PDB file of all heavy atoms in Angstrom:
ATOM      1  N   LYS A 310     -10.859  17.661  -0.636  1.00 88.00           N
ATOM      2  CA  LYS A 310     -11.266  17.625   0.777  1.00 88.00           C
ATOM      3  C   LYS A 310     -11.173  16.187   1.317  1.00 88.00           C
ATOM      4  O   LYS A 310     -11.455  15.227   0.600  1.00 88.00           O
ATOM      5  CB  LYS A 310     -12.723  18.105   0.910  1.00 88.00           C
ATOM      6  CG  LYS A 310     -12.900  19.579   0.573  1.00 88.00           C
ATOM      7  CD  LYS A 310     -12.563  20.446   1.781  1.00 88.00           C
ATOM      8  CE  LYS A 310     -12.593  21.933   1.480  1.00 88.00           C
ATOM      9  NZ  LYS A 310     -11.269  22.467   1.131  1.00 88.00           N
ATOM     10  N   ALA A 311     -10.842  16.080   2.605  1.00 91.00           N
ATOM     11  CA  ALA A 311     -10.702  14.756   3.225  1.00 91.00           C
ATOM     12  C   ALA A 311     -12.018  13.984   3.190  1.00 91.00           C
ATOM     13  O   ALA A 311     -12.028  12.756   3.067  1.00 91.00           O
ATOM     14  CB  ALA A 311     -10.211  14.906   4.664  1.00 91.00           C
ATOM     15  N   GLU A 312     -13.131  14.707   3.275  1.00 92.00           N
ATOM     16  CA  GLU A 312     -14.450  14.054   3.280  1.00 92.00           C
ATOM     17  C   GLU A 312     -14.659  13.277   1.965  1.00 92.00           C
ATOM     18  O   GLU A 312     -15.302  12.231   1.953  1.00 92.00           O
ATOM     19  CB  GLU A 312     -15.530  15.128   3.464  1.00 92.00           C
ATOM     20  CG  GLU A 312     -16.874  14.627   3.949  1.00 92.00           C
ATOM     21  CD  GLU A 312     -16.851  13.811   5.245  1.00 92.00           C
ATOM     22  OE1 GLU A 312     -16.198  14.206   6.229  1.00 92.00           O
ATOM     23  OE2 GLU A 312     -17.497  12.747   5.256  1.00 92.00           O
ATOM     24  N   ALA A 313     -14.099  13.800   0.859  1.00 92.00           N
ATOM     25  CA  ALA A 313     -14.227  13.112  -0.437  1.00 92.00           C
ATOM     26  C   ALA A 313     -13.461  11.791  -0.396  1.00 92.00           C
ATOM     27  O   ALA A 313     -13.962  10.752  -0.836  1.00 92.00           O
ATOM     28  CB  ALA A 313     -13.684  14.002  -1.556  1.00 92.00           C
ATOM     29  N   ALA A 314     -12.247  11.832   0.165  1.00 93.00           N
ATOM     30  CA  ALA A 314     -11.443  10.608   0.245  1.00 93.00           C
ATOM     31  C   ALA A 314     -12.121   9.580   1.147  1.00 93.00           C
ATOM     32  O   ALA A 314     -12.136   8.378   0.851  1.00 93.00           O
ATOM     33  CB  ALA A 314     -10.043  10.940   0.770  1.00 93.00           C
ATOM     34  N   LYS A 315     -12.737  10.069   2.231  1.00 93.00           N
ATOM     35  CA  LYS A 315     -13.422   9.162   3.170  1.00 93.00           C
ATOM     36  C   LYS A 315     -14.622   8.484   2.492  1.00 93.00           C
ATOM     37  O   LYS A 315     -14.807   7.271   2.599  1.00 93.00           O
ATOM     38  CB  LYS A 315     -13.892   9.986   4.385  1.00 93.00           C
ATOM     39  CG  LYS A 315     -14.649   9.193   5.411  1.00 93.00           C
ATOM     40  CD  LYS A 315     -15.116  10.118   6.536  1.00 93.00           C
ATOM     41  CE  LYS A 315     -15.955   9.369   7.548  1.00 93.00           C
ATOM     42  NZ  LYS A 315     -16.377  10.245   8.655  1.00 93.00           N
ATOM     43  N   SER A 316     -15.413   9.270   1.764  1.00 95.00           N
ATOM     44  CA  SER A 316     -16.586   8.716   1.075  1.00 95.00           C
ATOM     45  C   SER A 316     -16.170   7.716   0.003  1.00 95.00           C
ATOM     46  O   SER A 316     -16.808   6.684  -0.190  1.00 95.00           O
ATOM     47  CB  SER A 316     -17.398   9.844   0.429  1.00 95.00           C
ATOM     48  OG  SER A 316     -17.771  10.777   1.426  1.00 95.00           O
ATOM     49  N   PHE A 317     -15.080   8.046  -0.676  1.00 95.00           N
ATOM     50  CA  PHE A 317     -14.527   7.165  -1.715  1.00 95.00           C
ATOM     51  C   PHE A 317     -14.209   5.778  -1.125  1.00 95.00           C
ATOM     52  O   PHE A 317     -14.557   4.746  -1.696  1.00 95.00           O
ATOM     53  CB  PHE A 317     -13.275   7.853  -2.268  1.00 95.00           C
ATOM     54  CG  PHE A 317     -12.396   7.036  -3.162  1.00 95.00           C
ATOM     55  CD1 PHE A 317     -12.856   6.558  -4.382  1.00 95.00           C
ATOM     56  CD2 PHE A 317     -11.069   6.791  -2.819  1.00 95.00           C
ATOM     57  CE1 PHE A 317     -12.008   5.836  -5.226  1.00 95.00           C
ATOM     58  CE2 PHE A 317     -10.225   6.078  -3.651  1.00 95.00           C
ATOM     59  CZ  PHE A 317     -10.699   5.597  -4.860  1.00 95.00           C
ATOM     60  N   LEU A 318     -13.571   5.758   0.055  1.00 95.00           N
ATOM     61  CA  LEU A 318     -13.200   4.471   0.675  1.00 95.00           C
ATOM     62  C   LEU A 318     -14.432   3.666   1.072  1.00 95.00           C
ATOM     63  O   LEU A 318     -14.497   2.456   0.840  1.00 95.00           O
ATOM     64  CB  LEU A 318     -12.334   4.712   1.917  1.00 95.00           C
ATOM     65  CG  LEU A 318     -10.967   5.363   1.669  1.00 95.00           C
ATOM     66  CD1 LEU A 318     -10.199   5.493   2.977  1.00 95.00           C
ATOM     67  CD2 LEU A 318     -10.141   4.575   0.672  1.00 95.00           C
ATOM     68  N   SER A 319     -15.433   4.333   1.664  1.00 94.00           N
ATOM     69  CA  SER A 319     -16.624   3.583   2.101  1.00 94.00           C
ATOM     70  C   SER A 319     -17.381   3.053   0.874  1.00 94.00           C
ATOM     71  O   SER A 319     -17.957   1.966   0.904  1.00 94.00           O
ATOM     72  CB  SER A 319     -17.530   4.456   2.973  1.00 94.00           C
ATOM     73  OG  SER A 319     -18.098   5.488   2.199  1.00 94.00           O
ATOM     74  N   PHE A 320     -17.331   3.819  -0.214  1.00 96.00           N
ATOM     75  CA  PHE A 320     -17.989   3.391  -1.456  1.00 96.00           C
ATOM     76  C   PHE A 320     -17.303   2.129  -2.002  1.00 96.00           C
ATOM     77  O   PHE A 320     -17.967   1.162  -2.393  1.00 96.00           O
ATOM     78  CB  PHE A 320     -17.939   4.546  -2.472  1.00 96.00           C
ATOM     79  CG  PHE A 320     -18.848   4.381  -3.661  1.00 96.00           C
ATOM     80  CD1 PHE A 320     -20.068   3.717  -3.564  1.00 96.00           C
ATOM     81  CD2 PHE A 320     -18.492   4.921  -4.890  1.00 96.00           C
ATOM     82  CE1 PHE A 320     -20.906   3.578  -4.669  1.00 96.00           C
ATOM     83  CE2 PHE A 320     -19.327   4.790  -5.999  1.00 96.00           C
ATOM     84  CZ  PHE A 320     -20.530   4.116  -5.882  1.00 96.00           C
ATOM     85  N   ILE A 321     -15.976   2.119  -1.991  1.00 96.00           N
ATOM     86  CA  ILE A 321     -15.227   0.939  -2.471  1.00 96.00           C
ATOM     87  C   ILE A 321     -15.609  -0.296  -1.649  1.00 96.00           C
ATOM     88  O   ILE A 321     -15.850  -1.378  -2.195  1.00 96.00           O
ATOM     89  CB  ILE A 321     -13.699   1.183  -2.368  1.00 96.00           C
ATOM     90  CG1 ILE A 321     -13.258   2.174  -3.429  1.00 96.00           C
ATOM     91  CG2 ILE A 321     -12.909  -0.129  -2.523  1.00 96.00           C
ATOM     92  CD1 ILE A 321     -11.801   2.593  -3.335  1.00 96.00           C
TER      93      ILE A 321
END
Side-chain angles (χ1 to χ4, degrees):
K310 293 277 175 266
E312 200 55 46
K315 178 182 177 178
S316 303
F317 169 63
L318 296 182
S319 68
F320 194 32
I321 288 174

